[in-house]
Amino acid sequence: MKLGIVGLPNVGKSTLFNAITNAGAESANYPFCTIDPNVGVVAVPDARLDRLSQMYHPKKTTPAVIEFVDIAGLVKGASRGEGLGNKFLGNIRATDAIVHVVRCFDDENVIHVEGSTDPLRDIGIIDIELIMADVEMVERRIDKASKAAKGDKRFLHEAEVFSALKDWLNDGNSARSFVCDEDDRELIATSELLSLKPIIYAANLDEDGFADYASNPYYHQVAELAAKEGAQVIPVCAKLEAEIAELDGDEKKMFLEELGIPESGLDRLIRASYALLGLISFLTSGEDECRAWTITRGTKAPQAAGKIHTDFERGFIRAEVVAYDDLMACGTMTAAKEKGLVRSEGKEYVMKDGDIVLFRFNV
Ligand SMILES: Nc1nc2c(ncn2[C@@H]2O[C@H](COP(=O)(O)OP(=O)(O)O)[C@@H](O)[C@H]2O)c(=O)[nH]1
Ligand SMILES: [Mg+2]
Protein backbone atom coordinates (compact mmCIF):
# COMPACT_ATOMS: atom_id res chain seq x y z
CA MET A 1 0.00 0.00 0.00
CA LYS A 2 1.46 3.32 -0.97
CA LEU A 3 0.58 6.98 -1.12
CA GLY A 4 1.59 9.37 -3.84
CA ILE A 5 2.76 12.85 -2.88
CA VAL A 6 1.13 15.07 -5.45
CA GLY A 7 1.05 18.80 -6.14
CA LEU A 8 2.32 21.67 -8.28
CA PRO A 9 6.09 22.17 -8.61
CA ASN A 10 7.84 23.99 -5.73
CA VAL A 11 5.15 23.40 -3.13
CA GLY A 12 7.43 21.34 -0.86
CA LYS A 13 6.73 17.76 -1.98
CA SER A 14 10.34 16.62 -2.06
CA THR A 15 11.18 18.41 1.17
CA LEU A 16 8.32 16.57 2.83
CA PHE A 17 9.29 13.31 1.16
CA ASN A 18 12.87 13.65 2.36
CA ALA A 19 11.64 14.27 5.89
CA ILE A 20 9.56 11.11 5.58
CA THR A 21 12.46 9.02 4.29
CA ASN A 22 14.76 10.39 6.95
CA ALA A 23 12.25 9.45 9.61
CA GLY A 24 12.11 6.03 7.97
CA ALA A 25 15.87 5.62 8.04
CA GLU A 26 15.87 6.52 11.75
CA SER A 27 13.28 3.90 12.49
CA ALA A 28 15.58 0.96 13.02
CA ASN A 29 15.60 -2.19 11.04
CA TYR A 30 13.55 -1.64 7.97
CA PRO A 31 15.34 -3.01 4.95
CA PHE A 32 13.47 -1.32 2.12
CA CYS A 33 14.19 2.31 2.98
CA THR A 34 16.01 2.86 -0.26
CA ILE A 35 14.11 0.73 -2.76
CA ASP A 36 14.01 3.62 -5.12
CA PRO A 37 15.01 7.28 -4.83
CA ASN A 38 11.36 8.23 -5.18
CA VAL A 39 9.90 5.63 -2.85
CA GLY A 40 10.26 6.02 0.90
CA VAL A 41 9.23 3.64 3.63
CA VAL A 42 8.28 5.08 6.98
CA ALA A 43 7.33 3.68 10.36
CA VAL A 44 3.80 4.51 11.47
CA PRO A 45 4.15 6.28 14.83
CA ASP A 46 2.29 4.23 17.44
CA ALA A 47 2.42 5.21 21.10
CA ARG A 48 0.87 1.83 22.00
CA LEU A 49 3.77 -0.06 20.52
CA ASP A 50 6.21 2.21 22.38
CA ARG A 51 4.45 1.45 25.68
CA LEU A 52 4.40 -2.30 25.02
CA SER A 53 8.08 -2.12 24.27
CA GLN A 54 8.71 -0.41 27.60
CA MET A 55 6.77 -3.20 29.32
CA TYR A 56 8.48 -6.15 27.63
CA HIS A 57 11.96 -4.82 26.82
CA PRO A 58 12.06 -7.00 23.72
CA LYS A 59 15.20 -7.57 21.65
CA LYS A 60 13.43 -5.94 18.75
CA THR A 61 10.54 -3.56 18.20
CA THR A 62 9.00 -3.53 14.76
CA PRO A 63 6.55 -0.82 13.75
CA ALA A 64 3.99 -0.92 10.98
CA VAL A 65 5.17 0.84 7.83
CA ILE A 66 3.73 2.54 4.78
CA GLU A 67 5.27 3.72 1.53
CA PHE A 68 5.26 7.16 0.04
CA VAL A 69 6.12 8.01 -3.54
CA ASP A 70 7.50 11.44 -4.43
CA ILE A 71 5.76 12.24 -7.69
CA ALA A 72 7.20 15.02 -9.84
CA GLY A 73 5.16 18.22 -9.93
CA LEU A 74 2.17 18.38 -12.22
CA VAL A 75 1.62 21.51 -14.25
CA LYS A 76 -1.35 22.89 -16.18
CA GLY A 77 -1.94 20.68 -19.20
CA ALA A 78 -0.43 17.56 -17.61
CA SER A 79 -3.41 15.51 -18.82
CA ARG A 80 -2.52 16.59 -22.37
CA GLY A 81 1.06 15.51 -21.81
CA GLU A 82 2.60 18.85 -20.72
CA GLY A 83 5.76 18.53 -18.61
CA LEU A 84 5.86 14.74 -18.87
CA GLY A 85 2.31 14.87 -17.52
CA ASN A 86 1.34 11.44 -18.81
CA LYS A 87 4.24 9.78 -17.06
CA PHE A 88 3.52 11.54 -13.77
CA LEU A 89 -0.19 10.80 -13.97
CA GLY A 90 0.74 7.17 -14.56
CA ASN A 91 2.84 7.29 -11.39
CA ILE A 92 -0.19 8.49 -9.48
CA ARG A 93 -2.31 5.72 -10.95
CA ALA A 94 0.01 3.16 -9.34
CA THR A 95 -0.69 4.47 -5.82
CA ASP A 96 -3.55 3.66 -3.45
CA ALA A 97 -4.15 7.15 -2.12
CA ILE A 98 -3.01 10.72 -2.59
CA VAL A 99 -1.33 13.24 -0.31
CA HIS A 100 -1.97 16.54 -2.02
CA VAL A 101 0.65 19.04 -0.88
CA VAL A 102 -0.64 22.58 -1.08
CA ARG A 103 1.67 25.56 -0.86
CA CYS A 104 0.55 27.76 1.99
CA PHE A 105 3.83 29.59 2.51
CA ASP A 106 5.01 32.86 0.98
CA ASP A 107 8.66 32.96 0.00
CA GLU A 108 10.00 35.28 -2.69
CA ASN A 109 13.04 33.05 -3.07
CA VAL A 110 10.96 30.06 -4.06
CA ILE A 111 9.33 30.58 -7.44
CA HIS A 112 5.65 29.74 -7.63
CA VAL A 113 4.73 28.40 -11.08
CA GLU A 114 1.53 30.44 -10.97
CA GLY A 115 3.22 33.57 -9.62
CA SER A 116 1.56 33.82 -6.20
CA THR A 117 0.43 31.81 -3.21
CA ASP A 118 -3.19 30.79 -3.74
CA PRO A 119 -4.04 27.38 -2.31
CA LEU A 120 -7.54 27.09 -3.78
CA ARG A 121 -6.43 28.01 -7.29
CA ASP A 122 -3.57 25.50 -7.00
CA ILE A 123 -5.84 22.70 -5.80
CA GLY A 124 -8.18 23.49 -8.68
CA ILE A 125 -5.35 23.15 -11.22
CA ILE A 126 -4.30 19.72 -9.93
CA ASP A 127 -7.91 18.55 -9.63
CA ILE A 128 -8.67 19.46 -13.22
CA GLU A 129 -5.63 17.57 -14.51
CA LEU A 130 -6.64 14.46 -12.60
CA ILE A 131 -10.24 14.79 -13.72
CA MET A 132 -9.31 15.29 -17.40
CA ALA A 133 -7.09 12.23 -17.31
CA ASP A 134 -10.05 10.35 -15.85
CA VAL A 135 -12.37 11.54 -18.60
CA GLU A 136 -10.11 9.85 -21.12
CA MET A 137 -10.13 6.60 -19.18
CA VAL A 138 -13.89 6.74 -18.74
CA GLU A 139 -14.39 7.32 -22.48
CA ARG A 140 -12.40 4.21 -23.25
CA ARG A 141 -14.45 2.28 -20.74
CA ILE A 142 -17.72 3.47 -22.27
CA ASP A 143 -16.52 2.38 -25.72
CA LYS A 144 -15.57 -1.03 -24.45
CA ALA A 145 -18.83 -1.52 -22.54
CA SER A 146 -20.94 -0.31 -25.50
CA LYS A 147 -19.23 -2.79 -27.81
CA ALA A 148 -19.65 -5.61 -25.31
CA ALA A 149 -23.33 -4.67 -24.87
CA LYS A 150 -24.03 -5.72 -28.44
CA GLY A 151 -23.33 -9.29 -27.40
CA ASP A 152 -24.34 -9.13 -23.78
CA LYS A 153 -27.06 -6.73 -22.57
CA ARG A 154 -25.62 -6.65 -19.06
CA PHE A 155 -22.94 -4.26 -20.29
CA LEU A 156 -25.59 -1.67 -21.14
CA HIS A 157 -25.81 -0.69 -17.50
CA GLU A 158 -22.05 -0.36 -17.29
CA ALA A 159 -22.01 1.98 -20.28
CA GLU A 160 -24.79 4.04 -18.67
CA VAL A 161 -23.03 4.35 -15.32
CA PHE A 162 -19.78 5.47 -16.93
CA SER A 163 -21.62 7.91 -19.19
CA ALA A 164 -23.22 9.54 -16.18
CA LEU A 165 -19.82 9.63 -14.51
CA LYS A 166 -18.30 11.23 -17.60
CA ASP A 167 -20.85 14.07 -17.46
CA TRP A 168 -20.04 14.54 -13.79
CA LEU A 169 -16.30 14.72 -14.49
CA ASN A 170 -16.81 17.04 -17.45
CA ASP A 171 -18.56 19.45 -15.07
CA GLY A 172 -15.27 19.65 -13.17
CA ASN A 173 -16.15 17.24 -10.36
CA SER A 174 -13.99 14.47 -8.93
CA ALA A 175 -15.11 10.86 -9.28
CA ARG A 176 -14.81 10.70 -5.48
CA SER A 177 -17.92 12.82 -5.04
CA PHE A 178 -20.05 11.05 -7.68
CA VAL A 179 -23.32 9.96 -6.08
CA CYS A 180 -24.49 6.43 -6.89
CA ASP A 181 -25.46 3.18 -5.19
CA GLU A 182 -23.06 0.65 -3.70
CA ASP A 183 -23.05 -1.68 -6.73
CA ASP A 184 -22.28 1.09 -9.17
CA ARG A 185 -19.58 2.39 -6.85
CA GLU A 186 -17.92 -1.02 -6.92
CA LEU A 187 -18.17 -1.02 -10.69
CA ILE A 188 -16.52 2.39 -10.90
CA ALA A 189 -13.84 1.28 -8.48
CA THR A 190 -12.65 -1.27 -11.07
CA SER A 191 -11.49 1.60 -13.27
CA GLU A 192 -8.45 2.98 -11.36
CA LEU A 193 -9.52 6.58 -11.69
CA LEU A 194 -7.19 9.20 -10.25
CA SER A 195 -9.90 11.44 -8.85
CA LEU A 196 -11.44 8.44 -7.09
CA LYS A 197 -8.42 7.82 -4.90
CA PRO A 198 -8.78 8.74 -1.24
CA ILE A 199 -7.07 12.05 -0.53
CA ILE A 200 -5.49 14.00 2.31
CA TYR A 201 -4.41 17.59 1.98
CA ALA A 202 -1.08 18.56 3.48
CA ALA A 203 -1.10 22.32 3.95
CA ASN A 204 2.56 23.30 3.77
CA LEU A 205 2.87 26.34 6.03
CA ASP A 206 5.54 28.89 6.81
CA GLU A 207 7.90 28.08 9.64
CA ASP A 208 6.98 31.41 11.25
CA GLY A 209 3.80 31.04 13.22
CA PHE A 210 3.47 27.36 12.41
CA ALA A 211 2.22 26.55 15.92
CA ASP A 212 -0.63 28.98 15.37
CA TYR A 213 -1.66 27.43 12.06
CA ALA A 214 -5.34 27.68 12.93
CA SER A 215 -5.23 31.45 12.39
CA ASN A 216 -3.44 31.18 9.03
CA PRO A 217 -5.82 32.30 6.26
CA TYR A 218 -4.26 29.95 3.66
CA TYR A 219 -4.74 27.03 6.02
CA HIS A 220 -8.35 28.09 6.54
CA GLN A 221 -9.06 28.05 2.83
CA VAL A 222 -7.72 24.52 2.48
CA ALA A 223 -9.51 23.36 5.64
CA GLU A 224 -12.83 24.71 4.39
CA LEU A 225 -12.49 23.01 1.02
CA ALA A 226 -11.42 19.75 2.64
CA ALA A 227 -14.40 19.85 5.01
CA LYS A 228 -16.75 20.22 2.03
CA GLU A 229 -15.17 17.16 0.44
CA GLY A 230 -15.16 15.19 3.69
CA ALA A 231 -11.36 15.04 3.45
CA GLN A 232 -8.75 15.69 6.09
CA VAL A 233 -6.20 18.47 6.07
CA ILE A 234 -2.96 18.16 8.02
CA PRO A 235 -0.87 21.26 8.69
CA VAL A 236 2.82 20.66 8.07
CA CYS A 237 5.89 22.79 7.66
CA ALA A 238 8.00 20.74 5.30
CA LYS A 239 11.12 22.74 6.14
CA LEU A 240 10.72 22.16 9.89
CA GLU A 241 9.64 18.54 9.41
CA ALA A 242 12.90 17.91 7.58
CA GLU A 243 14.81 19.28 10.59
CA ILE A 244 12.66 17.41 13.11
CA ALA A 245 13.12 14.12 11.25
CA GLU A 246 16.88 14.33 11.88
CA LEU A 247 16.44 14.45 15.65
CA ASP A 248 16.23 11.46 17.97
CA GLY A 249 13.48 10.87 20.55
CA ASP A 250 14.39 13.30 23.35
CA GLU A 251 15.77 16.03 21.10
CA LYS A 252 12.64 15.82 19.04
CA LYS A 253 10.42 16.18 22.09
CA MET A 254 12.33 19.26 23.25
CA PHE A 255 12.28 20.87 19.83
CA LEU A 256 8.53 20.33 19.51
CA GLU A 257 7.99 21.83 22.96
CA GLU A 258 10.02 24.85 21.94
CA LEU A 259 7.89 25.25 18.86
CA GLY A 260 4.77 24.86 20.98
CA ILE A 261 3.33 21.92 19.07
CA PRO A 262 2.36 18.60 20.65
CA GLU A 263 3.27 16.40 17.71
CA SER A 264 5.17 16.79 14.47
CA GLY A 265 3.02 17.41 11.40
CA LEU A 266 4.78 14.53 9.74
CA ASP A 267 3.73 12.06 12.43
CA ARG A 268 0.14 13.24 12.11
CA LEU A 269 0.33 13.00 8.35
CA ILE A 270 1.69 9.45 8.46
CA ARG A 271 -0.99 8.26 10.87
CA ALA A 272 -3.73 9.96 8.87
CA SER A 273 -2.35 8.35 5.70
CA TYR A 274 -2.46 4.94 7.32
CA ALA A 275 -6.10 5.46 8.29
CA LEU A 276 -6.88 6.86 4.83
CA LEU A 277 -5.75 3.55 3.33
CA GLY A 278 -8.25 1.78 5.60
CA LEU A 279 -5.44 0.19 7.60
CA ILE A 280 -5.33 -0.68 11.28
CA SER A 281 -2.73 -2.41 13.45
CA PHE A 282 -2.87 -5.31 15.80
CA LEU A 283 0.01 -5.89 18.18
CA THR A 284 2.01 -8.86 19.32
CA SER A 285 4.25 -8.72 22.34
CA GLY A 286 6.94 -10.83 23.89
CA GLU A 287 10.53 -10.89 25.04
CA ASP A 288 11.84 -11.39 21.51
CA GLU A 289 9.78 -8.89 19.67
CA CYS A 290 7.01 -6.35 20.06
CA ARG A 291 5.43 -5.66 16.75
CA ALA A 292 2.61 -3.81 15.04
CA TRP A 293 1.04 -5.71 12.14
CA THR A 294 -0.90 -4.09 9.36
CA ILE A 295 -4.34 -5.32 8.34
CA THR A 296 -7.25 -3.73 6.54
CA ARG A 297 -10.21 -2.74 8.65
CA GLY A 298 -12.69 -5.63 8.81
CA THR A 299 -10.07 -8.41 8.71
CA LYS A 300 -11.02 -11.53 10.68
CA ALA A 301 -8.73 -13.29 13.15
CA PRO A 302 -7.49 -16.17 10.93
CA GLN A 303 -6.50 -13.81 8.10
CA ALA A 304 -4.79 -11.53 10.60
CA ALA A 305 -2.88 -14.56 11.88
CA GLY A 306 -1.90 -15.27 8.27
CA LYS A 307 -0.02 -11.96 8.19
CA ILE A 308 2.42 -13.45 10.68
CA HIS A 309 2.71 -16.84 9.03
CA THR A 310 0.59 -18.85 6.60
CA ASP A 311 0.68 -21.76 9.11
CA PHE A 312 -1.02 -19.53 11.67
CA GLU A 313 -3.93 -19.07 9.30
CA ARG A 314 -4.06 -22.65 8.05
CA GLY A 315 -3.99 -24.16 11.53
CA PHE A 316 -5.88 -21.36 13.29
CA ILE A 317 -7.52 -22.52 16.51
CA ARG A 318 -8.27 -19.29 18.36
CA ALA A 319 -6.94 -15.87 19.20
CA GLU A 320 -6.29 -14.69 22.73
CA VAL A 321 -7.06 -11.01 22.61
CA VAL A 322 -6.78 -8.14 25.04
CA ALA A 323 -7.61 -4.56 24.13
CA TYR A 324 -4.65 -2.21 24.55
CA ASP A 325 -6.52 0.03 26.99
CA ASP A 326 -7.53 -2.96 29.12
CA LEU A 327 -3.95 -4.18 29.35
CA MET A 328 -2.72 -0.73 30.33
CA ALA A 329 -5.45 -0.37 32.95
CA CYS A 330 -4.39 -3.69 34.50
CA GLY A 331 -0.66 -3.08 34.22
CA THR A 332 0.35 -6.65 33.36
CA MET A 333 -0.91 -9.48 31.19
CA THR A 334 -1.35 -11.67 34.28
CA ALA A 335 -3.58 -9.08 35.93
CA ALA A 336 -5.59 -8.70 32.72
CA LYS A 337 -6.11 -12.48 32.64
CA GLU A 338 -7.23 -12.54 36.26
CA LYS A 339 -9.83 -9.90 35.50
CA GLY A 340 -11.09 -11.92 32.56
CA LEU A 341 -10.10 -9.23 30.07
CA VAL A 342 -8.07 -11.59 27.88
CA ARG A 343 -10.75 -12.98 25.61
CA SER A 344 -10.69 -16.15 23.59
CA GLU A 345 -11.90 -15.34 20.06
CA GLY A 346 -12.74 -17.66 17.18
CA LYS A 347 -12.66 -17.68 13.39
CA GLU A 348 -15.36 -15.06 12.96
CA TYR A 349 -13.78 -12.45 15.21
CA VAL A 350 -13.25 -9.13 13.45
CA MET A 351 -9.95 -7.63 14.57
CA LYS A 352 -9.93 -4.22 16.20
CA ASP A 353 -7.27 -1.55 16.03
CA GLY A 354 -4.90 -1.96 18.98
CA ASP A 355 -5.82 -5.55 19.80
CA ILE A 356 -2.93 -7.32 21.50
CA VAL A 357 -3.04 -10.88 20.28
CA LEU A 358 -1.61 -14.33 20.81
CA PHE A 359 -2.69 -16.80 18.14
CA ARG A 360 -3.16 -20.48 18.97
CA PHE A 361 -2.68 -22.75 16.00
CA ASN A 362 -2.00 -26.34 15.11
CA VAL A 363 -0.48 -27.62 11.88
N1 LIG B 1 9.86 28.89 3.42
C1 LIG B 1 9.56 27.62 3.15
N2 LIG B 1 10.13 27.07 2.09
C2 LIG B 1 9.84 25.78 1.81
C3 LIG B 1 8.95 25.01 2.61
N3 LIG B 1 8.84 23.79 2.05
C4 LIG B 1 9.63 23.79 0.98
N4 LIG B 1 10.24 24.98 0.83
C5 LIG B 1 11.22 25.37 -0.20
O1 LIG B 1 10.62 25.35 -1.47
C6 LIG B 1 11.53 24.92 -2.47
C7 LIG B 1 10.91 23.79 -3.27
O2 LIG B 1 10.71 22.67 -2.41
P1 LIG B 1 10.61 21.20 -2.97
O3 LIG B 1 10.38 20.33 -1.80
O4 LIG B 1 11.77 20.87 -3.84
O5 LIG B 1 9.28 21.33 -3.83
P2 LIG B 1 8.63 20.29 -4.88
O6 LIG B 1 8.92 20.83 -6.22
O7 LIG B 1 7.17 20.35 -4.56
O8 LIG B 1 9.22 18.94 -4.63
C8 LIG B 1 12.78 24.49 -1.75
O9 LIG B 1 13.72 25.54 -1.85
C9 LIG B 1 12.33 24.36 -0.30
O10 LIG B 1 13.36 24.64 0.61
C10 LIG B 1 8.37 25.64 3.75
O11 LIG B 1 7.60 25.04 4.51
N5 LIG B 1 8.70 26.94 3.97
MG1 LIG C 1 10.19 17.66 -6.07
Side-chain angles (χ1 to χ4, degrees):
M1 290 286 220
K2 56 187 179 190
L3 295 107
I5 302 178
V6 174
L8 288 177
N10 272 358
V11 297
K13 298 183 300 301
S14 296
T15 310
L16 195 62
F17 174 81
N18 290 338
I20 285 172
T21 339
N22 242 334
E26 292 295 317
S27 80
N29 39 32
Y30 206 70
F32 312 164
C33 293
T34 52
I35 331 176
D36 184 299
N38 296 322
V39 183
V41 178
V42 65
V44 179
D46 190 337
R48 300 169 307 194
L49 182 65
D50 298 342
R51 282 289 299 280
L52 269 191
S53 206
Q54 284 163 11
M55 256 172 93
Y56 285 88
H57 302 289
K59 291 190 193 110
K60 197 164 127 188
T61 300
T62 311
V65 295
I66 44 173
E67 285 181 20
F68 288 88
V69 188
D70 185 16
I71 293 170
L74 294 174
V75 291
K76 256 187 198 159
S79 58
R80 296 190 310 273
E82 293 291 332
L84 291 181
N86 291 329
K87 178 166 179 270
F88 302 157
L89 290 166
N91 293 341
I92 302 174
R93 191 154 288 131
T95 65
D96 302 289
I98 291 172
V99 176
H100 186 157
V101 181
V102 187
R103 176 156 166 177
C104 294
F105 65 88
D106 292 313
D107 188 336
E108 286 171 8
N109 300 315
V110 180
I111 292 168
H112 192 301
V113 279
E114 296 294 325
S116 60
T117 310
D118 184 344
L120 295 185
R121 175 203 59 207
D122 292 358
I123 292 172
I125 291 172
I126 297 291
D127 277 351
I128 285 299
E129 294 308 327
L130 302 185
I131 290 167
M132 294 322 286
D134 283 351
V135 167
E136 255 184 57
M137 293 225 18
V138 167
E139 278 171 348
R140 285 204 290 273
R141 185 72 180 252
I142 296 168
D143 279 352
K144 232 173 101 188
S146 304
K147 276 187 195 127
K150 286 178 191 143
D152 184 343
K153 289 274 169 269
R154 279 177 304 179
F155 285 99
L156 266 184
H157 178 69
E158 181 169 329
E160 277 168 19
V161 171
F162 279 96
S163 294
L165 177 61
K166 184 183 153 187
D167 292 342
W168 179 255
L169 293 169
N170 269 329
D171 284 341
N173 303 301
S174 292
R176 220 174 286 118
S177 58
F178 184 65
V179 182
C180 61
D181 66 26
E182 247 341 277
D183 291 346
D184 290 350
R185 181 145 295 279
E186 273 176 33
L187 182 65
I188 290 170
T190 61
S191 62
E192 292 202 312
L193 297 175
L194 303 177
S195 70
L196 192 61
K197 292 187 190 290
I199 195 165
I200 291 183
Y201 294 99
N204 188 17
L205 299 154
D206 254 323
E207 45 275 43
D208 296 335
F210 176 58
D212 190 24
Y213 66 84
S215 62
N216 181 314
Y218 294 139
Y219 172 77
H220 257 277
Q221 292 171 15
V222 182
E224 240 171 65
L225 176 108
K228 264 189 230 150
E229 295 182 351
Q232 238 187 312
V233 51
I234 310 283
V236 297
C237 173
K239 240 182 173 175
L240 282 178
E241 302 304 339
E243 288 172 34
I244 295 169
E246 309 241 342
L247 305 174
D248 64 23
D250 284 341
E251 287 175 335
K252 178 169 163 181
K253 225 166 129 191
M254 271 168 58
F255 190 54
L256 290 175
E257 265 167 29
E258 247 171 66
L259 290 171
I261 50 179
E263 192 186 18
S264 85
L266 198 60
D267 285 353
R268 281 182 68 185
L269 180 65
I270 294 164
R271 276 197 287 103
S273 300
Y274 195 63
L276 185 72
L277 291 168
L279 302 175
I280 59 171
S281 300
F282 71 87
L283 306 160
T284 53
S285 58
E287 256 111 65
D288 279 334
E289 187 182 28
C290 286
R291 181 160 179 169
W293 301 84
T294 300
I295 48 175
T296 47
R297 199 171 278 287
T299 300
K300 289 183 178 171
Q303 286 71 45
K307 291 279 168 191
I308 302 177
H309 198 287
T310 46
D311 283 352
F312 283 32
E313 180 171 357
R314 206 154 44 90
F316 180 88
I317 299 171
R318 64 178 193 276
E320 286 168 17
V321 183
V322 57
Y324 171 81
D325 288 338
D326 286 343
L327 177 62
M328 289 305 143
C330 297
T332 65
M333 196 58 92
T334 316
K337 274 185 189 149
E338 276 164 10
K339 289 202 173 142
L341 292 170
V342 181
R343 295 164 282 128
S344 178
E345 301 284 3
K347 284 190 166 140
E348 290 305 314
Y349 178 68
V350 177
M351 302 290 293
K352 293 198 187 70
D353 188 38
D355 276 348
I356 298 162
V357 192
L358 180 69
F359 292 109
R360 299 286 179 194
F361 69 104
N362 184 9
V363 282

